[in-house]
Amino acid sequence: MWFSWMLLLASLATSTASSKTREWAHHGAVMFADLTPQEMNAVRDYLYSCSELGLTSARDKSLKKNSILLMELHVPRKHEALRALDRGQARPSRKARVVVQFGNQAMPNVTEYVVGPLPFPSSYQVKTFKGDRPIRFESRPISTVEYEHLNKVLEKVAAKANKILQESTGFTYGNCTNRCLTFSDIAPRGLAPGERRTWIMLQKFVEGYFIHPVGLEVLVNHKDLDHEKWTVEKVWYNGQYFDSMEELVEKYEKGPINKLKLPEHDEEDLFSTYIPRGHMNTRTNIHGAKLVEPQGRRFQVDGNFVEYAGWSFAYRVRSSAGLQIFDLRFNGERIAYEIALQEAIAFYSGDTPAAMQTKYIDAGWAMGTSDYELSPGIDCPEIAHFVDLYHYYDTDKPVRYRNALCIFEMTTALPLRRHYNNNFKGGYNFYGGLENHVLVIRTTSTVYNYDYIWDFVFYQNGVMESRVSATGYIHATFFTENGLNYGTRVYNYVLGNLHTHLIHYKVDLDIAGRDNSFETIDLKYVNFTNPWSPGNSIVQSKLHRTQHETERSAAFRFGKKFPKYLHFYNPNQNNNWGHKKGYRIQYNSHANSVLPRGWREENGISWSRYPLAVTRHKDNEVTSSSIYTQNGPWEPVVSFEEFIRNNENIVNQDLVAWVTVGFLHIPHSEDIPNTATPGNAVGFFLRPFNFFDEDPSLASRSTVIVRPDEKGQPKVQRWTPEVVGHCVSDKPFFYNGTYAGV
């Protein structure tokens, strides 16, 4: 009797603790929620009232102005957030990070501020980067106004060359209504710090213009804040360089150059469109398979707080970089404090100046603001929970991105586990299986030509997957024979350029607490005398563990042997079988470095040297990249290499794993019109490694067990309803596609 009472009291205590844990997680989630439009407007109005800043509209046509470039949430320090998450204490006040461009002063600069408290801001203070590095004005992201001035430069240049363009391509630039040209700009904008020189590639302005280069590229120097002083420094036409457009025109007229003549443009044979063509024997008078929720939704969303099958987490979409999750817990126990996309790069090779200069570093294009509307049934299942997102970037008011994030449960059409227990008599002892349902939170980033699909996937057995799938148009340049060394011909005058995608994540693990250690596990052969046959030897594999005690020892270089198991564990917490409670990171990637160490632009992406680096958590090492790296990679304001330079001890510490995944893409003819997602998905898994005492998905009631009864008839045991509910929604397909100020 006494024992039963003790069990009951223990159960009640566990239930109370679990309830508090959930309550505190929910209480703290709002700390990580993106700024609301009301908060953005309040911050803008407050800063405009500060006369010493002298702020004007971001859309003012002058570049000599002080204006807000970016506004997003300023996340509280970890120890402050944990007081709310782990003790239920008051949340720290919400604040905003604001990037201001000061162009209207003798020494133009970019300054970041922390503004608060929200929702009624009353103060601001300068926000600095590690080492107090200044932000060069030339490294700022390009703005809409600057693009407008670049367009005017191109119109002036084209006015001199439209005869050449018309004869060479059948298209013209500026003052045209049909058969017009557009442009793509290349980054970084120069070859050294302090430059702002951009190669610009002309293209046919048709659907899918990214793969319609026309063989003319120009280099524009637009460093001066007086756009009337901008100049064209170089011109590339059909494989030939000229010092000015005037030189090209003169030599074109006199005839001593290789003239270009593209095939006649055929509107009916536009290879870059999505319009179906070719034959497929799939029936088209009926729809394909769809995802349904037979008895309704099984996950809960409250603001930015999500719960599903033991999981809970908060999410946000950072305007500068993209999707993040915070306070990731399974059954109330924290696995990670933060898992956040940091950067995505695509470094190209080619024969034209635009191709050889293309080194895209996508946070510099405010990658998080490129999360446009998701279509039901294609981008996400029709049953998904869609969320609008709001950003404040290069604007004067918040911009609403309709249905830009989705959350849904799906079946993987693969069992999470199953077993057929053969009785070897033509029958079975039992069959057991568990449906593999997962929760997915998804956004996309359309950074110009490429579309990245960002997923965090949560499995019932305590596994989390981070995955990015690449699609969209390839970055193509004009075909030259030498270009075949750097890519593939995909149309008669189009080269698909080889490039490497690298994606970088911050994974702040808190495995059963903040004090964690890191080891790698490999195998070694051992050779010993066979104990039951002394005349023979046994050769087999043996576990070989390496404890990594310093940051340098846990920074693994590309090109070196990479350990098989990457194990993060709490040295102070054991499971029931005496093992340290841990999780491991498992890669799905075939990445490699993109430039030699220390080579110019590589300094800005020093994280790309390592598939994995492990550091101690520091509040001043919040991100591994910045929005300034794209146009200032030579002297970056954030240098990841400095995170590990001091080589601190990482035993029994608060650890952060910095994970790099990616792939090489050599374009091929099947990339027309678009790169497809199959085979172009990379990422990593967080997998429990002795964290639990057994597979936690045993708690799932989706298990089915079949045993033969005494008459040999199947006896089905299940814990979910027999009857499948309603089918897919009968709502018609709807897609708006717009985004506008609110």
Side-chain angles (χ1 to χ4, degrees), residues 114-125:
V114 177
V115 183
L118 302 180
F120 305 111
S122 58
S123 66
Y124 65 84
Q125 62 184 40

Side-chain angles (χ1 to χ4, degrees), residues 156-346:
K156 290 178 182 178
V157 169
K160 304 171 186 176
N162 264 336
K163 178 186 176 185
I164 299 175
L165 292 171
Q166 178 66 50
E167 292 179 0
S168 299
T169 72
F171 285 63
T172 57
Y173 192 96
N175 295 321
C176 61
T177 56
N178 188 30
R179 299 206 167 186
C180 301
L181 295 170
T182 186
F183 72 90
S184 290
D185 58 315
I186 306 304
R189 304 181 192 282
L191 299 172
E195 293 187 3
R196 202 163 176 87
R197 300 188 296 154
T198 299
W199 274 102
I200 293 175
M201 174 173 56
L202 295 190
Q203 302 151 316
K204 294 180 180 179
F205 191 30
V206 296
E207 198 168 283
Y209 57 84
F210 309 103
I211 52 178
H212 287 273
V214 297
L216 182 68
E217 301 173 4
V218 297
L219 176 62
V220 178
N221 188 330
H222 52 113
K223 176 178 177 177
D224 202 292
L225 295 184
D226 182 354
H227 60 87
E228 296 294 341
K229 296 180 180 179
W230 293 358
T231 58
V232 173
E233 295 187 342
K234 224 57 163 173
V235 177
W236 184 90
Y237 169 79
N238 195 26
Q240 303 147 96
Y241 287 92
F242 304 89
D243 290 328
S244 66
M245 188 59 74
E246 288 79 6
E247 182 189 1
L248 168 59
V249 171
E250 180 183 353
K251 291 185 175 179
Y252 185 92
E253 294 294 342
K254 293 181 178 178
I257 67 171
N258 295 323
K259 294 185 178 180
L260 165 68
K261 180 63 177 176
L262 296 185
E264 182 65 26
H265 183 75
D266 184 359
E267 299 283 357
E268 301 300 317
D269 183 27
L270 198 57
F271 65 95
S272 56
T273 71
Y274 269 63
I275 296 173
R277 47 196 180 267
H279 173 71
M280 183 173 286
N281 60 7
T282 303
R283 292 176 61 185
T284 59
N285 61 335
I286 57 174
H287 281 283
K290 295 288 184 180
L291 200 60
V292 300
E293 294 172 323
Q295 276 81 33
R297 186 165 289 170
R298 302 200 302 176
F299 61 92
Q300 292 81 43
V301 180
D302 185 2
N304 70 319
F305 183 65
V306 182
E307 295 175 284
Y308 170 77
W311 291 103
S312 71
F313 60 89
Y315 72 85
R316 70 175 287 223
V317 179
R318 185 161 53 116
S319 298
S320 49
L323 187 59
Q324 299 176 283
I325 58 175
F326 288 91
D327 193 30
L328 177 65
R329 307 184 189 212
F330 193 85
N331 289 340
E333 196 164 10
R334 184 175 301 113
I335 307 298
Y337 174 75
E338 176 187 1
I339 304 175
L341 175 63
Q342 300 291 295
E343 187 60 273
I345 68 172

